[in-house]
Coordinates of all heavy atoms in Angstrom, one line a residue:
A126 N 0.8 -1.2 0.0 CA 0.0 0.0 0.0 C 0.8 1.3 0.0 O 0.4 2.3 -0.4 CB -0.9 0.0 1.2
G127 N 2.1 1.2 0.5 CA 3.0 2.3 0.4 C 2.7 3.5 1.4 O 3.2 4.6 1.1
V128 N 1.9 3.2 2.4 CA 1.6 4.3 3.4 C 2.3 4.0 4.7 O 1.9 3.0 5.3 CB 0.1 4.5 3.5 CG1 -0.2 5.6 4.6 CG2 -0.6 4.8 2.2
P129 N 3.2 4.8 5.1 CA 3.9 4.5 6.4 C 3.0 4.8 7.6 O 1.9 5.4 7.5 CB 5.1 5.5 6.4 CG 4.7 6.6 5.5 CD 3.8 6.0 4.5
I130 N 3.4 4.3 8.8 CA 2.6 4.6 10.0 C 2.5 6.1 10.2 O 3.6 6.7 10.3 CB 3.2 3.8 11.2 CG1 3.2 2.3 10.9 CG2 2.4 4.2 12.5 CD1 3.9 1.5 12.0
P131 N 1.4 6.7 10.3 CA 1.3 8.1 10.6 C 2.0 8.5 11.9 O 1.8 7.8 12.9 CB -0.2 8.4 10.6 CG -0.8 7.3 9.9 CD 0.0 6.1 10.2
E132 N 2.7 9.6 11.9 CA 3.5 10.0 13.1 C 2.5 10.3 14.2 O 2.9 10.1 15.4 CB 4.4 11.2 12.8 CG 3.7 12.5 12.4 CD 4.7 13.6 12.2 OE1 5.8 13.3 11.6 OE2 4.3 14.7 12.5
Y133 N 1.3 10.8 13.9 CA 0.4 11.1 15.0 C -0.1 9.9 15.7 O -0.5 10.0 16.9 CB -0.9 11.8 14.4 CG -0.6 13.0 13.5 CD1 -1.0 12.9 12.2 CD2 0.0 14.2 14.0 CE1 -0.8 14.0 11.3 CE2 0.2 15.3 13.1 CZ -0.2 15.2 11.8 OH 0.0 16.2 11.0
L134 N -0.1 8.8 15.0 CA -0.6 7.5 15.6 C 0.3 7.1 16.8 O -0.2 6.6 17.8 CB -0.6 6.4 14.6 CG -1.1 5.0 15.0 CD1 -2.4 5.1 15.7 CD2 -1.1 4.1 13.8
G135 N 1.6 7.3 16.7 CA 2.5 7.0 17.9 C 2.1 7.8 19.1 O 2.1 7.3 20.2
D136 N 1.8 9.1 18.9 CA 1.4 10.0 20.0 C 0.1 9.5 20.6 O 0.0 9.5 21.9 CB 1.2 11.4 19.5 CG 2.5 12.1 19.0 OD1 3.5 11.6 19.4 OD2 2.4 13.1 18.3
S137 N -0.8 9.0 19.8 CA -2.1 8.5 20.3 C -1.9 7.3 21.2 O -2.5 7.1 22.2 CB -3.0 8.2 19.1 OG -3.3 9.4 18.4
L138 N -1.0 6.4 20.7 CA -0.7 5.2 21.5 C -0.1 5.5 22.8 O -0.5 4.9 23.9 CB 0.2 4.3 20.7 CG -0.5 3.5 19.6 CD1 0.6 2.9 18.6 CD2 -1.3 2.3 20.1
V139 N 0.8 6.4 22.9 CA 1.5 6.8 24.1 C 0.4 7.5 25.1 O 0.4 7.1 26.3 CB 2.6 7.8 23.9 CG1 3.2 8.3 25.2 CG2 3.7 7.1 23.1
R140 N -0.3 8.4 24.5 CA -1.3 9.1 25.3 C -2.3 8.2 26.0 O -2.6 8.3 27.2 CB -2.0 10.2 24.5 CG -3.0 11.1 25.2 CD -3.5 12.2 24.3 NE -4.2 11.6 23.1 CZ -3.7 11.7 21.9 NH1 -2.6 12.3 21.7 NH2 -4.4 11.2 20.9
V141 N -2.9 7.3 25.2 CA -4.0 6.4 25.7 C -3.4 5.4 26.6 O -4.1 5.0 27.6 CB -4.8 5.8 24.5 CG1 -5.9 4.9 25.0 CG2 -5.5 6.9 23.7
A142 N -2.2 4.9 26.3 CA -1.6 3.9 27.2 C -1.4 4.5 28.6 O -1.6 3.8 29.6 CB -0.3 3.4 26.6
R143 N -0.9 5.7 28.6 CA -0.8 6.4 29.9 C -2.1 6.6 30.6 O -2.2 6.4 31.8 CB -0.1 7.8 29.7 CG 1.4 7.8 29.3 CD 1.9 9.2 29.2 NE 3.3 9.2 28.9 CZ 4.0 10.3 28.6 NH1 3.3 11.5 28.6 NH2 5.2 10.3 28.3
K144 N -3.1 7.0 29.9 CA -4.4 7.2 30.5 C -4.9 5.9 31.1 O -5.6 5.9 32.2 CB -5.4 7.6 29.4 CG -6.8 8.0 29.9 CD -6.8 9.4 30.5 CE -8.1 9.8 31.0 NZ -8.1 11.1 31.6
L145 N -4.6 4.7 30.5 CA -5.1 3.4 31.0 C -4.1 2.9 32.1 O -4.4 1.8 32.7 CB -5.2 2.4 29.9 CG -6.3 2.7 28.9 CD1 -6.1 1.8 27.6 CD2 -7.7 2.3 29.6
G146 N -3.0 3.6 32.3 CA -2.0 3.1 33.3 C -1.2 2.0 32.8 O -0.5 1.2 33.6
F147 N -1.1 1.8 31.4 CA -0.2 0.8 30.8 C 1.2 1.4 30.7 O 1.6 1.8 29.6 CB -0.7 0.4 29.5 CG -2.1 -0.2 29.5 CD1 -2.8 -0.3 28.3 CD2 -2.6 -0.7 30.6 CE1 -4.1 -0.9 28.3 CE2 -3.9 -1.3 30.6 CZ -4.6 -1.4 29.4
T148 N 1.9 1.5 31.8 CA 3.2 2.2 31.8 C 4.2 1.5 30.9 O 5.0 2.2 30.3 CB 3.7 2.2 33.3 OG1 3.8 0.9 33.8 CG2 2.8 3.1 34.2
E149 N 4.2 0.2 30.9 CA 5.2 -0.5 30.1 C 5.0 -0.3 28.6 O 5.9 0.1 27.9 CB 5.2 -2.0 30.4 CG 6.3 -2.8 29.7 CD 6.3 -4.3 30.1 OE1 5.8 -4.6 31.1 OE2 6.8 -5.1 29.3
E150 N 3.7 -0.4 28.2 CA 3.3 -0.1 26.8 C 3.6 1.3 26.4 O 4.1 1.6 25.3 CB 1.9 -0.5 26.5 CG 1.6 -2.0 26.5 CD 1.2 -2.5 27.9 OE1 1.5 -1.8 28.9 OE2 0.7 -3.6 28.0
A151 N 3.3 2.3 27.3 CA 3.5 3.7 27.1 C 5.0 3.9 26.8 O 5.4 4.7 25.9 CB 3.0 4.5 28.2
A152 N 5.9 3.3 27.7 CA 7.3 3.5 27.5 C 7.8 2.9 26.2 O 8.7 3.5 25.5 CB 8.0 2.8 28.7
D153 N 7.3 1.7 25.8 CA 7.7 1.1 24.6 C 7.3 2.0 23.4 O 8.1 2.2 22.5 CB 7.0 -0.3 24.5 CG 7.6 -1.3 25.4 OD1 8.7 -1.1 26.0 OD2 6.9 -2.3 25.7
Y154 N 6.1 2.5 23.4 CA 5.7 3.3 22.2 C 6.4 4.6 22.2 O 6.7 5.2 21.1 CB 4.1 3.5 22.3 CG 3.3 2.3 21.9 CD1 2.4 1.8 22.7 CD2 3.5 1.7 20.7 CE1 1.6 0.7 22.4 CE2 2.8 0.6 20.3 CZ 1.8 0.1 21.2 OH 1.1 -1.1 20.8
Q155 N 6.7 5.2 23.4 CA 7.5 6.4 23.4 C 8.9 6.2 22.9 O 9.4 7.1 22.2 CB 7.5 7.0 24.8 CG 8.3 8.3 24.9 CD 8.1 9.0 26.3 OE1 7.0 9.0 26.8 NE2 9.2 9.5 26.8
A156 N 9.4 5.1 23.2 CA 10.8 4.7 22.6 C 10.7 4.6 21.1 O 11.7 5.0 20.4 CB 11.3 3.4 23.2
L157 N 9.6 4.2 20.6 CA 9.5 4.0 19.1 C 9.2 5.4 18.4 O 9.7 5.7 17.4 CB 8.4 3.0 18.8 CG 8.7 1.5 18.9 CD1 7.4 0.7 18.7 CD2 9.7 1.2 17.8
Y158 N 8.3 6.1 19.0 CA 7.7 7.3 18.3 C 8.0 8.6 19.0 O 7.7 9.7 18.4 CB 6.2 7.2 18.3 CG 5.7 5.9 17.5 CD1 5.2 4.9 18.2 CD2 5.9 5.8 16.2 CE1 4.7 3.7 17.5 CE2 5.6 4.7 15.5 CZ 5.0 3.6 16.2 OH 4.6 2.5 15.5
G159 N 8.8 8.7 20.0 CA 9.2 9.9 20.6 C 8.3 10.4 21.8 O 7.2 9.8 22.0
A160 N 8.7 11.4 22.5 CA 8.0 11.9 23.6 C 6.7 12.6 23.2 O 6.6 13.2 22.1 CB 8.9 12.9 24.4
L161 N 5.7 12.5 24.0 CA 4.4 13.0 23.8 C 4.4 14.6 23.9 O 4.9 15.1 24.9 CB 3.4 12.5 24.8 CG 1.9 12.8 24.5 CD1 1.4 12.1 23.2 CD2 1.0 12.3 25.7
P162 N 3.9 15.3 22.9 CA 4.0 16.8 23.0 C 3.1 17.3 24.1 O 2.1 16.6 24.5 CB 3.4 17.2 21.6 CG 3.5 16.0 20.7 CD 3.4 14.8 21.6
E163 N 3.5 18.4 24.7 CA 2.7 19.0 25.8 C 1.8 20.0 25.2 O 2.3 20.9 24.5 CB 3.7 19.6 26.8 CG 4.5 18.6 27.6 CD 3.7 17.6 28.5 OE1 2.6 18.1 28.9 OE2 4.2 16.5 28.7
Y164 N 0.5 19.9 25.5 CA -0.4 20.9 25.0 C -0.9 21.8 26.2 O -1.1 21.4 27.3 CB -1.7 20.2 24.4 CG -1.4 19.3 23.2 CD1 -1.5 18.0 23.3 CD2 -0.8 19.9 22.1 CE1 -1.3 17.2 22.2 CE2 -0.5 19.1 21.0 CZ -0.8 17.8 21.0 OH -0.5 17.0 19.9
P165 N -1.0 23.1 25.9 CA -1.4 24.1 26.9 C -2.9 23.8 27.3 O -3.6 23.1 26.6 CB -1.3 25.4 26.3 CG -0.4 25.2 25.1 CD -0.6 23.8 24.6
E166 N -3.3 24.3 28.5 CA -4.7 24.2 28.9 C -5.6 25.0 27.9 O -5.1 26.0 27.2 CB -4.8 24.8 30.3 CG -4.2 23.9 31.4 CD -4.5 24.4 32.8 OE1 -5.3 25.3 32.9 OE2 -3.9 23.8 33.7
N167 N -6.8 24.7 27.9 CA -7.8 25.3 27.0 C -7.5 25.2 25.5 O -7.8 26.1 24.8 CB -8.0 26.8 27.4 CG -8.4 27.0 28.8 OD1 -9.3 26.2 29.3 ND2 -7.9 28.0 29.5

């Protein structure tokens, strides 16, 4: 298909894994896709 994994998808995996308390999975995905960006309030 020629479509790479979207870079946003890695952020989503890290964010939701953290929300669920999946610390090991969150660390693994962060190692693959980088640190989760910090968004301001509002």
Side-chain angles (χ1 to χ4, degrees):
V128 179
I130 298 172
E132 64 177 36
Y133 310 116
L134 180 53
D136 294 344
S137 300
L138 282 164
V139 175
R140 182 176 59 252
V141 177
R143 285 182 180 176
K144 187 75 176 181
L145 290 167
F147 298 163
T148 55
E149 185 175 338
E150 288 87 347
D153 289 342
Y154 287 125
Q155 182 168 317
L157 280 173
Y158 300 110
L161 189 66
E163 295 293 334
Y164 297 116
E166 291 186 6
N167 299 322

